Every structure is written in structure tokens, then in C-alpha cells.
């Protein structure tokens, strides 16, 4: 496999906020921490040292891996987290079935490669890639499906509580449907067996996801954490109590969001007055303040006053589940983390959170956009080159590509620029003559000129359209290439699952991603 790289801005696929962050826009400086550079990581290492309860963290991880067939590098990384010279680089994602879209595995590959690059730069330290499973998320509709070769595969069941706690008992039909798309080969058999062992061999979605991700990435030392655990939540308990009562996250995040909006950057998330849910095995519902010193759990016969709420937090911190704006704080509190690796939208909402981190005295991580990529092959590369296209130009629209192709390959002159220059010269003379006769005739001449310009534009489009028929085969090929590389008109990584690529490349797929990704170069990667 080979790779080429293009600037993110040339893909026309990423947000204004992300591009501004990559370009180090000074307007975003107050909302971000250290820059995603080697110098920034040097500063982050010094800032983060000695601020993590490593004993509790490692005990929790060892418990979670007790029944996991962990690679020696994973076990070594977990044990190394007891050492103050070991740090993490973390990515997180929901528990999409079968890993969901490609960017799920791109995130993890970015974290692994970044850990390797940091080790090369700072050999006296150890860097552990971490995948944070969003086991407490309850938006089942976002994770209950995946797409293989344009075909949507959905797990149809009733959502209960947090997705990580959901039973996988009803997944067999979904697993069989997924396996049916994989075909017959050594790689397809291997993946089919892995999927079956993950989802039909475990009782809940968190354990199933851990099994699958560990099998794919364990050889690269990836540590997987499920933070929906009492011992870890206990570390967060003082902040939970302060924030529910004091509404500090709401105040700080709302202020930052307002300032970002004034600078022209859209808010990705909105903080509530209380940014925690009450979590049990059967429901995850918002906590709201309904009156002075009175708190209720929505849709449940459960309420607290200030004193009983404090008692509940201290005795049962695992029942308090952070929402999207408080989960990052929880993550950074319990991990010796240097960087968070996320997609464009995630980078956008993390920028809204720094004031909240500052309020609670928790170090804000370096924000590293995940590597974004397109995976194809030599055959597609040849088709692109035969049409005089490039991997940069294919990010243009179908219509733009077709126009450019026809203009390059036509045997006729389709542009009417020269004719318009001649007509403009004539109209300049007419304008002067009309002005001499009557100055008020000037607008009439200009109106005739404008109508003629529109007529010539229409004629030029008709000439181009007529000549397209002479290149019909090539234009059909352009449409096919675009649909193959941009299924549904969007980036491949945002819809397609990794399954068929794994069938084609096997374990080499993950290895090549890690090899070709360059986390701190900030370029779109095309692997072929």
C-alpha cells in the first residue's frame, strides 16, 4: 500500500472551526490548551505530572481486564501506568456495533501512532494509547447500525439505560446478517469468528466492544477503559456535588460558547443547568432543579434536597452519569492524559469546555484532530489518473470535474471569453456614442450589454452540454469513481464500516493505518 496527503482545506469537507484551530487562529487561543506540537507536548508533560490517582486507575483496569485475553503489551502498559513517567493519549467513542463507520478505527490508529511518535521524541517517558468506551451514552439510535457496501445493518431492539449495560442477547440475527456480507476467504472467516465471539460471547455491549477492539488493536498496546465503575466515579464525586449544586459548568461553558459565537464559531453542544444524569440498570434520566433546594430525576419518582443529594453522591457516585460536557472533565481527572484525539465536531465542543476545566483546576489536554483518510487501491488510482484527475481534484463536485474534463479534452472552443471581449469593446464605443447624443441613454446601453452577457453565458452552457455527449463514457466513469470514493456524496469514513476492507487486507489494514498516519502533520491521508 502507498499513501499521499493533501491539506484538509482542499477537501472542502471540514468545518471552519477545525480549520481555524489547525491554522492556529489567535482568536481560539483562549479556548485551547497547549498546541498539538512536540514543544506543546513537552510543556504538557510537565504540567500533568503527579496529578493522577494511578493506584485506583490501575486497579480498575486490572479488574476490567481480568477476563480479557490481553496482549503482553497491553498488560505492560496497564502496569506502567503506576509510574509517574507514564502518560496516556486518549480517544473516545460510542459503542457502535461492529465499530460503526471507519472513523472509529481511524481514531484509535491515530492514538497508537501518536503514542509511538511521542516515545521517539521523549524516550525517557512512556506513552499509552487509550480508547475510552462511551459506555454511559444512551443515544442507541446513533450506534445500533453500521453500513457495509452501502447496505445498512441494524440491531433492532429496545434501548435500556446506558448502552454499555445493554444486553446482547438479541444480537444473533444482526451478527448473522453482518457475517453474510463478508464472503468466503481466510480473512472473512477470521472476522466472522471475531464478531461472533465478541457479540454472542458476552452479555453486554461494553464487554462485547472491549473484546472486538482488543482483538483488533491489542497487539499495538491499546488500553481500553470503561469508566462506568464505582471506584473511578468516586474520584469525581466532589466535583459532581459541587457542579450539581453550584451549576458551575453551565455558567463557564455558556460564557465560552457565547464568546465563540461572537467570533463566528458555531457551538457544538449546549450546557444545561445540571449536566449529570441519574443512572441505573433500567434508566438514565436527567437531574433537574425544580425548586430551591429540591432536585428531581425526570420521569422517575425520585427526588433529593441538598443534603440527601450530597449523601447520594458520596455513597453511590456510580449513579451520577456525566453528560457530553462533563464527560471530558471526568476523563482528564482519572487519566494521566496529555492529549485528546477527536473528530472536527469534537474539537469544536472541547473548545467550549476549557473555562470549566480552569474552574475545577483540572489540566486541559492538547486537542489533536484525528487522522482523516480515504482507503482505495491501485486499480482506482489508475482510473483516476486515466481521466487526468488527481487525488486532490476528486474532492471537487461531479459537475466541476465533468466541466473540467470536457474543457481539457474537447476539439472545439467552448469558452466565449474572446467573443465577449470583442463585444465589450463594441459596447464601449456604443456607450461613448450614446453619451454624446444624450447622457441619459447610458443605462439603456448597459442594460442591453447585461442581457447579451446572460445570453452568451446560456449559450456557453449549451455548447458545453452538447459537447459532453462526445465524452459520455468518461463522464460516466467520473460518476462511478465519485460514488465509490464518496458513498452517498460524503467522505467514505463517515458511513462505511471497516469490514470489507478487513476482508481484503486482513490485519495489514490496521498496520498500514498506523504506519501512514501522521497525527501532528494535520493532512488528509489517501491510502491506495
Amino acid at each position: 500500500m502507498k499513501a499521499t496527503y493533501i491539506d484538509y482545506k482542499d477537501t472542502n469537507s471540514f468545518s471552519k472551526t477545525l480549520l481555524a484551530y489547525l491554522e492556529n487562529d489567535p482568536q481560539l487561543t483562549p479556548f485551547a490548551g497547549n498546541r498539538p506540537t512536540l514543544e506543546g507536548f513537552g510543556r504538557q508533560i510537565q504540567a500533568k505530572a503527579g496529578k493522577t490517582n494511578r493506584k485506583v486507575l490501575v486497579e480498575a483496569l486490572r479488574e476490567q481486564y481480568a477476563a480479557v485475553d490481553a496482549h503482553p503489551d497491553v498488560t505492560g502498559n496497564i502496569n506502567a501506568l503506576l509510574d509517574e513517567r507514564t502518560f496516556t493519549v486518549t480517544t473516545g467513542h460510542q459503542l457502535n456495533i461492529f465499530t460503526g463507520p471507519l472513523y472509529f478505527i481511524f481514531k484509535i490508529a491515530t492514538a497508537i501512532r501518536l503514542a509511538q511518535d511521542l516515545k521517539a521524541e521523549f524516550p525517557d517517558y512512556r506513552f499509552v494509547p487509550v480508547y475510552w468506551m462511551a459506555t454511559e451514552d444512551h443515544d442507541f439510535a446513533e450506534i445500533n447500525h453500521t453500513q457495509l457496501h452501502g447496505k445498512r445493518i441494524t440491531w433492532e431492539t429496545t434501548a435500556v439505560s446506558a448502552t454499555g449495560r445493554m444486553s446482547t442477547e438479541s444480537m444473533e440475527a444482526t451478527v448473522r446478517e453482518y457475517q453474510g456480507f463478508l464472503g468466503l476467504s481466510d480473512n472473512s472467516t477470521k472476522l466472522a469468528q471475531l464478531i461472533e465471539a465478541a457479540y454472542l460471547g458476552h452479555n453486554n455491549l461494553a464487554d462485547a466492544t472491549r473484546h472486538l477492539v482488543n482483538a483488533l488493536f491489542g497487539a499495538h498496546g491499546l488500553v481500553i477503559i470503561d469508566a462506568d465503575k464505582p471506584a473511578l466515579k468516586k474520584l469525581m464525586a466532589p466535583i459532581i456535588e459541587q457542579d450539581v449544586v453550584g451549576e458551575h459548568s453551565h455558567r463557564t461553558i455558556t460564557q465560552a460558547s457565547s464568546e465563540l459565537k461572537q467570533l463566528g464559531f458555531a457551538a457544538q453542544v449546549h450546557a444545561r443547568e445540571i449536566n449529570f444524569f441519574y443512572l441505573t440498570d433500567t434508566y438514565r434520566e436527567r437531574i433537574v432543579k425544580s425548586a430551591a433546594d429540591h432536585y428531581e430525576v425526570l420521569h422517575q419518582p425520585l427526588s433529593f434536597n441538598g443534603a440527601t443529594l450530597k449523601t447520594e453522591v458520596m455513597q453511590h457516585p456510580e449513579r451520577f452519569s456525566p453528560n457530553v460536557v462533563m464527560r471530558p472533565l471526568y476523563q482528564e481527572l482519572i487519566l494521566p492524559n496529555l492529549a485528546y484525539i477527536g473528530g472536527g465536531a469534537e474539537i469544536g465542543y472541547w473548545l467550549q469546555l476549557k473555562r470549566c476545566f480552569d474552574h475545577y483546576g483540572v489540566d486541559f489536554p492538547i486537542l489533536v484532530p484525528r487522522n482523516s483518510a480515504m482507503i482505495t487501491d491501485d486499480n482506482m488510482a489508475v482510473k483516476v489518473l486515466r481521466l487526468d484527475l488527481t487525488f486532490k481534484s476528486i474532492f471537487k463536485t461531479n459537475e466541476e470535474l465533468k466541466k473540467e474534463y470536457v474543457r481539457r479534452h474537447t476539439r472545439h472552443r467552448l469558452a466565449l471569453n474572446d467573443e465577449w471581449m470583442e463585444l465589450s469593446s463594441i459596447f464601449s464605443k456604443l456607450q461613448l456614442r450614446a453619451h454624446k447624443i444624450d447622457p441619459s441613454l447610458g443605462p439603456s446601453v448597459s442594460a442591453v450589454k447585461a442581457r447579451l452577457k446572460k445570453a452568451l453565458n446560456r449559450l456557453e452552457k449549451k455548447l458545453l452540454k452538447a459537447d459532453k455527449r462526445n465524452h459520455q463514457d468518461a463522464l460516466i466513469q467520473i460518476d462511478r469513481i465519485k460514488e465509490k470514493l464518496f458513498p452517498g456524496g460524503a467522505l467514505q469514513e463517515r458511513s462505511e464500516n471497516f469490514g470489507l476492507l478487513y476482508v481484503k487486507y486482513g490485519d495489514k489494514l490496521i498496520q498500514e493505518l498506523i504506519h501512514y498516519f501522521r497525527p501532528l502533520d494535520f493532512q488528509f491521508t489517501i491510502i491506495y
Side-chain angles (χ1 to χ4, degrees), residues 289-309:
K289 187 175 183 179
S290 55
D293 199 40
H294 187 76
Y295 303 87
E296 295 181 356
V297 178
L298 284 181
H299 310 123
Q300 302 296 326
L302 186 61
S303 63
F304 307 94
N305 59 34
T308 57
L309 178 69

Side-chain angles (χ1 to χ4, degrees), residues 46-62:
Q46 300 305 314
K48 190 68 177 182
K51 295 181 179 178
T52 305
N53 192 324
R54 293 173 179 268
K55 185 174 183 294
V56 171
L57 173 64
V58 170
E59 287 177 354
L61 287 170
R62 286 172 176 169

Side-chain angles (χ1 to χ4, degrees), residues 177-198:
E177 184 180 5
Y178 184 90
Q179 291 173 322
F181 277 91
L182 301 180
L184 297 174
S185 69
D186 290 344
N187 287 336
S188 62
T189 299
K190 183 177 179 179
L191 181 56
Q193 291 173 346
L194 173 54
I195 293 296
E196 183 164 336

Side-chain angles (χ1 to χ4, degrees), residues 416 420 423 452-461:
L416 300 179
W420 177 244
L423 289 171
L452 182 58
K453 175 61 175 172
K454 290 180 180 179
L456 281 177
N457 287 342
R458 289 194 297 269
L459 178 59
E460 186 174 276
K461 289 179 180 178

